[in-house]
Amino acid sequence: MLKLRLSMGGTKKRPVYKIVVADSKFARDGRFIEKLGFFNPLLPKEKKERLGLVTERIKYWLEKGAQPTIRVARILGENQIIPMPKKGNNPQKAIPKKDRKKDSKEEAPKAETAKEAPKAEAAKEAPKAEAAKEAPKAEEKKK
C-alpha cells in the first residue's frame, strides 16, 4: 500500500521532514518513491519557508490510491489540497502527562487487589486443606 508520509531528516534536536510517497513496508527514513515536499516544524506557522509542497504530484498520487498519514492529511487539509480530516477524540490530552501517569498508577493497584482477592482466599483455604491432610499422618506416626 502506498502512503504519503513524513520522512525525518536534519540533525539532533533540529528535525526537518520530507513529505514522500513510499510503500508502507519501507522504513520511515528509508527507501521512498518520490519526494513531494518538505516540512520544517521549527519555523513559525506564518513563515512561507516552513512548508513546501508539489501539489500536482500530490494530487496525482492521491488519485493513484496513496493514503496520507494523519499528520500529512492535516498538512494537506490546511493547504486545501484535500478536505481537512476530522479531529480525533483524546480525552487524556487535556490532562498534563505527569498527572496521567498518577491516574494510571492509582487504577492499577485497584485492579490488582481485585485480582488478588480470589487468590488470597484460595491461599487461605490451601493451608487448611494441607493441615487436614497432615493431621491423620501425625496421628499415624504417634501410633
Side-chain angles (χ1 to χ4, degrees), residues 46-63:
E46 54 274 353
K47 285 226 175 187
K48 192 173 91 174
E49 299 85 29
R50 178 180 167 99
L51 185 67
L53 298 171
V54 184
T55 55
E56 303 85 36
R57 295 303 291 169
I58 291 172
K59 289 178 182 176
Y60 168 79
W61 284 109
L62 289 171
E63 288 173 5

Side-chain angles (χ1 to χ4, degrees), residues 24-121:
S24 60
K25 296 175 186 171
F26 295 161
R28 179 194 69 185
D29 300 335
R31 205 164 109 196
F32 61 89
I33 298 168
E34 184 178 354
K35 180 181 171 188
L36 303 174
F38 65 89
F39 174 60
N40 186 351
L42 298 177
L43 295 176
K45 289 185 178 181
E46 54 274 353
K47 285 226 175 187
K48 192 173 91 174
E49 299 85 29
R50 178 180 167 99
L51 185 67
L53 298 171
V54 184
T55 55
E56 303 85 36
R57 295 303 291 169
I58 291 172
K59 289 178 182 176
Y60 168 79
W61 284 109
L62 289 171
E63 288 173 5
K64 292 288 183 184
Q67 296 293 316
T69 59
I70 295 169
R71 179 64 55 193
V72 172
R74 290 196 54 201
I75 290 170
L76 298 177
E78 290 169 359
N79 289 286
Q80 285 112 21
I81 296 173
I82 63 171
M84 190 71 165
K86 63 179 184 178
K87 291 187 176 185
N89 183 17
N90 185 359
Q92 293 290 318
K93 190 170 184 179
I95 303 169
K97 195 168 188 178
K98 59 184 176 182
D99 294 338
R100 280 186 239 163
K101 291 181 180 177
K102 288 179 186 175
D103 291 340
S104 64
K105 287 180 183 176
E106 290 173 4
E107 292 174 8
K110 291 178 187 175
E112 288 175 9
T113 54
K115 290 179 183 175
E116 290 175 2
K119 292 179 184 176
E121 291 175 11

